[in-house]
Amino acid sequence: ILKRLWTSLIDQGGAILVATSNRPPRELYWNGLQRDLFLPFIDFLEDQCEVVDMTDSDVDYRLLQPKSASGVYFVGKEQHADFDALFYELVGSGSVKQMQLAVGTRAVTVPRATTNRGICRFEFAELCQKALGAADYLLIGHTFHTVFVDRVPKLNTTHVNWVRRFITFIDSMYEYNVKLVIHAQTPPEGIYQVDLKSNVDESFSFDRTRSRLEEMQSSTYLRKRWLGDGGKGDKSKSTSASTKTQFQVEPSLSENMVQS
């Protein structure tokens, strides 16, 4: 299907296509089911497109974002009280309760949420140690502009399913520009040890996740408009409030605030 689509766009439509990928063409759909059926498309890509290889670059451009934001990533037991305090400060007088989000014929349980302020809170186990997937996480990002995640542990290869869900969760929050507040056992680079030379897809994918976690702490990211229900979607169907979440991005300049 992809080969027919690209052939039609290039040969019949005269389109110029520009695409980006985390992998070179020859590694696309790596370890995929019946990958041999996908190989002709790779041959087509390499024949028709100029491949620009950026793997020799040591620069992670997400890490070049201004990182003056304070108080969105908390590490260790000593910072857990600060994490709690921020949650209750942002919730204010709002009622915190469990709620259900409908996904098709089933529901996703949000254990702690305040819909009038658009804020919710999970523990890592509630998000990534249960059978949740992309549709569930995207609905969370679509409903809440600020998501707190507590007790993110160190992960290793024995936690592959947890790692996969965490990767998908971070991608989903990033998709909607959600303000993500995390309490973890370790800084982002220590959550999962990444070996880009490994054939394990999770190692490759988590390097992007680590990079995104760093970017999501930046003032540039926190200034982005939330793209969820109350941000860009149909406000008439919104279950979240338009109340704005504020984060101080210059500790010495109290007037500089980031709003959702």
Side-chain angles (χ1 to χ4, degrees):
I1 294 175
L2 280 173
K3 184 178 180 180
R4 290 200 300 270
L5 172 63
W6 281 57
T7 300
S8 176
L9 289 172
I10 293 174
D11 293 344
Q12 299 179 27
I16 298 175
L17 301 176
V18 180
T20 62
S21 173
N22 290 324
R23 295 180 182 270
R26 191 51 55 181
E27 294 182 12
L28 290 174
Y29 197 44
W30 192 261
N31 293 328
L33 184 66
Q34 295 183 321
R35 186 173 181 266
D36 57 309
L37 300 178
F38 188 75
L39 295 179
F41 176 63
I42 294 178
D43 295 334
F44 173 80
L45 278 181
E46 292 181 332
D47 181 60
Q48 296 292 324
C49 300
E50 178 183 357
V51 178
V52 180
D53 188 355
M54 299 293 291
T55 56
D56 291 334
S57 174
D58 294 327
V59 179
D60 186 337
Y61 288 92
R62 290 193 183 100
L63 303 185
L64 298 182
Q65 302 270 1
K67 287 190 61 179
S68 55
S70 62
V72 294
Y73 195 100
F74 300 83
V75 178
K77 293 180 180 179
E78 63 277 6
Q79 292 189 5
H80 195 266
D82 296 331
F83 174 85
D84 278 336
L86 179 60
F87 176 72
Y88 289 109
E89 175 187 346
L90 296 180
V91 166
S93 59
S95 174
V96 179
K97 59 184 180 181
Q98 183 182 105
M99 67 175 294
Q100 303 290 321
L101 302 178
V103 181
T105 58
R106 61 189 185 86
V108 175
T109 299
V110 182
R112 291 161 291 279
T114 172
T115 55
N116 66 320
R117 289 186 178 270
I119 300 171
C120 69
R121 177 170 172 171
F122 293 86
E123 294 208 358
F124 176 86
E126 295 166 335
L127 278 174
C128 301
Q129 292 177 224
K130 294 183 178 181
L132 299 180
D136 306 309
Y137 300 141
L138 287 169
L139 182 58
I140 293 169
H142 184 67
T143 306
F144 299 98
H145 58 68
T146 303
V147 177
F148 282 70
V149 182
D150 195 5
R151 305 182 192 282
V152 178
K154 289 183 178 180
L155 300 170
N156 56 48
T157 54
T158 65
H159 307 129
V160 171
N161 288 332
W162 302 358
V163 172
R164 289 172 178 167
R165 293 188 189 112
F166 189 64
I167 291 170
T168 303
F169 169 73
I170 297 300
D171 286 346
S172 300
M173 298 303 101
Y174 190 89
E175 181 78 14
Y176 281 110
N177 293 341
V178 168
K179 309 300 184 287
L180 187 63
V181 184
I182 286 182
H183 172 263
Q185 188 177 352
T186 176
E189 64 271 16
I191 293 177
Y192 186 70
Q193 296 302 312
V194 176
D195 179 7
L196 292 179
K197 296 181 180 179
S198 172
N199 289 327
V200 179
D201 285 343
E202 287 70 32
S203 296
F204 184 92
S205 298
F206 201 87
D207 189 54
R208 183 189 70 245
T209 299
R210 173 202 58 78
S211 178
R212 285 188 166 179
L213 284 171
E214 296 282 0
E215 181 187 354
M216 292 168 87
Q217 300 176 55
S218 71
S219 57
T220 300
Y221 176 86
L222 292 171
R223 286 193 177 95
K224 291 182 178 181
R225 182 184 182 185
W226 174 52
L227 300 180
D229 211 10
K232 187 179 180 181
D234 184 355
K235 294 184 179 181
S236 66
K237 298 179 181 179
S238 176
T239 56
S240 300
S242 60
T243 303
K244 293 181 178 180
T245 298
Q246 298 182 334
F247 293 103
Q248 185 172 321
V249 296
E250 289 288 347
S252 61
L253 300 174
S254 60
E255 69 274 15
N256 285 348
M257 304 296 285
V258 173
Q259 300 183 339
S260 66

